[in-house]
Amino acid sequence: MDYFKNNQLSKQLKEIEFCVEQPNSDLAHQIKAAYLKDLLTHAVKTTPYYQGLTRPSSVADFPVIKKTIIQENFELFQSSIFKDKKNFKVSTSGSTGVPFFLYQNDGKRLRNHADVIYFFKEANFNVGDRLYELEVWRNHNKKGKLKSWLQNINQFDVSRLTDERIQTFLKLLTSDKQSKKTLLGFASAYEMIAQYLEKNNMTLKNIELTSAIANAEHLNSYTKSTLGKHLNTVVLSRYSSEEIGVMAQQTIDSPNSFVINNASYHVELLDLKNDAPAKLGEFGRIVVTDLFNYAMPIIRYDTGDIAQFGLNKNGVMVLTRIEGRQMDLIYDSKGSIISSFVIYTKFYRYYHLLKQYQFIQQGEKEYEVKLNLQGDNFQFENQLIMDIKSDFGEDAQVTITYVNEIPALASGKRRKVINNYKNNT
């Protein structure tokens, strides 16, 4: 298909490969500088939010923005040139409790596609290989059977990852005769699988697993080493989001530090207290400029996560650590662990009514939902409570509290999922 489209994807892949692997070269600097200049010029000329800026000389002249700023000024962030064109809506709940979505143009979608293919390749996965996706699958995100078969994908639901469910997954892996298999899934699911394998002293040596890529959540060292040992593979972490794309990833050649996607993004680390650059080796806020979204230019976007810059053996800047995505595990009324991402699915249909939400387990069977509304009232209380009980148990006691703001932590982040019950026992 790409051949008949003038090799658009192949050209993008070659550029990404060069700019990511040789980011300090003069040519890579020139390519990135040109993309950045074009984006900033486009934003100032066509995007109402940025039209007040007069002749900015660099990206540092632009303000740092957060999800709430985009959310409150949504129309102002849309480019007048792309506003009436066919764009793609991407949504995410993220890790800060702010429901969020953006529009992306065709060029951004193509670049995202190329980014994903490149970073998969750096984890020993090639298009067409068997891919197991461990996620919370619902109607809004699940692929059809035909598409899954064509893409050689198994969408394995991890909503309730009980021992029996883990056994089912492991049987799938061991019975799959395809020569190359890769996992892509939530770090919390990997952790539960690792605990099960260790508890039962199971090591699967002949499943031909090329790698296991963790996304969406913080991958702790226990999970990385334990899962890798018991599945006889390398476990890597990907830093990405639905609304932005793949910003950094650990790779086969860089298994313990994150290779930055310098080809498609301008990544800054800013001080925790102000917008000055963080010093090398110190923690700072991850601030990203998307070089390819022209439908809604995203410039100096504070992701809400914290990281640490370092240098690899070749003197190339990498992220040595990424923090801030660790989420509390939540338990249903019978004590079984439920993925935090089950909670996110409860709120998708209400995004247009909410500014923020937070889910708190206050006791063994007690759950509190905090809602910060866009308007004056919320008419779906009973529906939301019933939906929560469907996954957490009919004997779950669910209360809804309305607030004007979700209190921030010292880091500036707002925890979406909190387990006060387990943390206090």
Side-chain angles (χ1 to χ4, degrees):
M1 290 177 66
D2 190 47
Y3 174 81
F4 290 108
K5 294 180 180 179
N6 198 28
N7 294 313
Q8 294 181 50
L9 190 59
S10 298
K11 292 174 183 176
Q12 298 275 355
L13 275 168
K14 288 179 181 178
E15 183 178 89
I16 293 167
E17 181 177 5
F18 175 77
C19 291
V20 171
E21 295 177 9
Q22 300 185 52
N24 292 341
S25 68
D26 290 340
L27 180 56
H29 281 301
Q30 291 170 14
I31 293 172
K32 184 175 178 179
Y35 278 134
L36 186 58
K37 181 181 178 182
D38 289 346
L39 175 79
L40 301 184
T41 301
H42 167 79
V44 171
K45 287 184 177 179
T46 74
T47 310
Y49 187 84
Y50 294 114
Q51 284 178 345
L53 293 173
T54 56
R55 296 187 179 184
S57 59
S58 73
V59 71
D61 294 328
F62 285 72
V64 175
I65 59 174
K66 295 185 178 182
K67 284 183 181 180
T68 50
I69 293 176
I70 299 174
Q71 186 182 49
E72 293 166 2
N73 301 275
F74 191 81
E75 294 287 329
L76 301 181
F77 276 93
Q78 296 184 63
S79 167
S80 58
I81 294 177
F82 287 86
K83 193 169 184 179
D84 296 324
K85 293 185 178 180
K86 182 183 177 182
N87 296 309
F88 297 86
K89 183 179 179 180
V90 290
S91 61
T92 180
S93 54
S95 59
T96 60
V98 182
F100 190 55
F101 71 91
L102 293 175
Y103 289 114
Q104 297 178 348
N105 53 289
D106 284 334
K108 167 61 179 176
R109 296 287 287 184
L110 178 66
R111 189 68 172 202
N112 262 358
H113 192 180
D115 283 335
V116 169
I117 291 174
Y118 172 77
F119 279 99
F120 260 131
K121 181 173 66 70
E122 293 302 294
N124 272 347
F125 172 87
N126 292 297
V127 174
D129 291 349
R130 182 66 153 170
L131 180 65
Y132 285 85
E133 290 189 282
L134 283 67
E135 194 174 322
V136 173
W137 296 111
R138 295 292 188 266
N139 291 334
H140 72 276
N141 65 345
K142 192 171 184 177
K143 295 182 176 72
K145 290 183 178 179
L146 178 60
K147 189 173 183 179
S148 296
W149 178 78
L150 288 171
Q151 294 183 346
N152 202 14
I153 290 173
N154 184 306
Q155 294 183 294
F156 189 84
D157 190 84
V158 294
S159 301
R160 289 174 171 269
L161 211 50
T162 61
D163 283 359
E164 292 74 22
R165 188 69 177 148
I166 293 174
Q167 290 168 11
T168 299
F169 171 68
L170 296 177
K171 286 178 182 177
L172 279 174
L173 277 185
T174 53
S175 62
D176 192 330
K177 301 305 179 184
Q178 295 195 42
S179 59
K180 291 184 178 180
K181 296 182 284 290
T182 301
L183 307 184
L184 174 68
F186 298 150
S188 57
Y190 287 171
E191 183 170 17
M192 286 182 271
I193 294 170
Q195 290 172 332
Y196 177 88
L197 290 167
E198 189 169 40
K199 179 177 66 177
N200 293 281
N201 195 27
M202 294 176 61
T203 300
L204 310 181
K205 293 185 177 180
N206 301 313
I207 57 175
E208 298 185 271
L209 195 62
T210 57
S211 65
I213 305 168
N215 64 355
E217 299 168 305
H218 173 74
L219 176 67
N220 60 47
S221 57
Y222 164 83
T223 304
K224 185 178 178 70
S225 60
T226 305
L227 189 70
K229 177 181 68 176
H230 288 284
L231 294 185
N232 193 33
T233 192
V234 59
V235 182
L236 307 169
S237 182
R238 173 181 291 176
Y239 183 62
S240 64
S241 69
E242 288 291 333
E243 74 273 22
I244 302 295
V246 182
M247 293 168 279
Q249 183 185 291
Q250 295 174 342
T251 68
I252 296 297
D253 294 330
S254 180
N256 297 310
S257 59
F258 292 79
V259 175
I260 300 171
N261 186 356
N262 288 299
S264 301
Y265 305 96
H266 177 68
V267 180
E268 302 174 76
L269 274 193
L270 301 184
D271 190 271
L272 298 178
K273 297 181 179 179
N274 55 57
D275 291 341
K279 296 178 181 178
L280 189 69
E282 293 184 353
F283 280 105
R285 295 174 290 128
I286 302 177
V287 175
V288 177
T289 297
D290 188 336
L291 302 178
F292 286 86
N293 193 353
Y294 275 59
M296 290 188 71
I298 302 302
I299 301 168
R300 304 196 85 192
Y301 170 63
D302 188 332
T303 67
D305 296 316
I306 297 169
Q308 189 178 47
F309 267 148
L311 297 175
N312 68 11
K313 61 183 179 182
N314 298 318
V316 173
M317 196 79 78
V318 296
L319 297 176
T320 54
R321 292 175 63 187
I322 297 178
E323 302 290 340
R325 308 198 78 179
Q326 180 79 55
M327 299 181 184
D328 289 354
L329 290 175
I330 297 296
Y331 299 79
D332 67 13
S333 61
K334 293 180 174 57
S336 298
I337 294 174
I338 292 185
S339 169
S340 299
F341 278 75
V342 172
I343 298 164
Y344 306 162
T345 65
K346 305 301 178 188
F347 297 91
Y348 282 151
R349 70 186 69 177
Y350 310 122
Y351 270 11
H352 63 292
L353 301 174
L354 305 176
K355 289 182 180 179
Q356 299 167 303
Y357 67 89
Q358 189 176 66
F359 187 97
I360 307 171
Q361 183 166 10
Q362 300 286 20
E364 182 181 10
K365 300 181 180 182
E366 291 80 45
Y367 308 91
E368 181 183 10
V369 175
K370 291 186 177 181
L371 300 180
N372 181 9
L373 302 178
Q374 294 275 14
D376 296 327
N377 57 69
F378 183 72
Q379 299 178 358
F380 303 95
E381 276 196 12
N382 291 337
Q383 185 176 334
L384 178 58
I385 290 172
M386 289 175 61
D387 200 16
I388 291 172
K389 285 187 174 184
S390 69
D391 276 304
F392 285 81
E394 290 302 317
D395 57 343
Q397 300 170 30
V398 182
T399 58
I400 296 180
T401 305
Y402 296 97
V403 297
N404 294 322
E405 180 65 31
I406 304 294
L409 300 174
S411 65
K413 295 197 68 175
R414 291 172 172 83
R415 294 169 69 190
K416 176 183 294 184
V417 179
I418 299 174
N419 192 329
N420 288 335
Y421 165 58
K422 283 292 182 180
N423 289 339
N424 292 331
T425 58

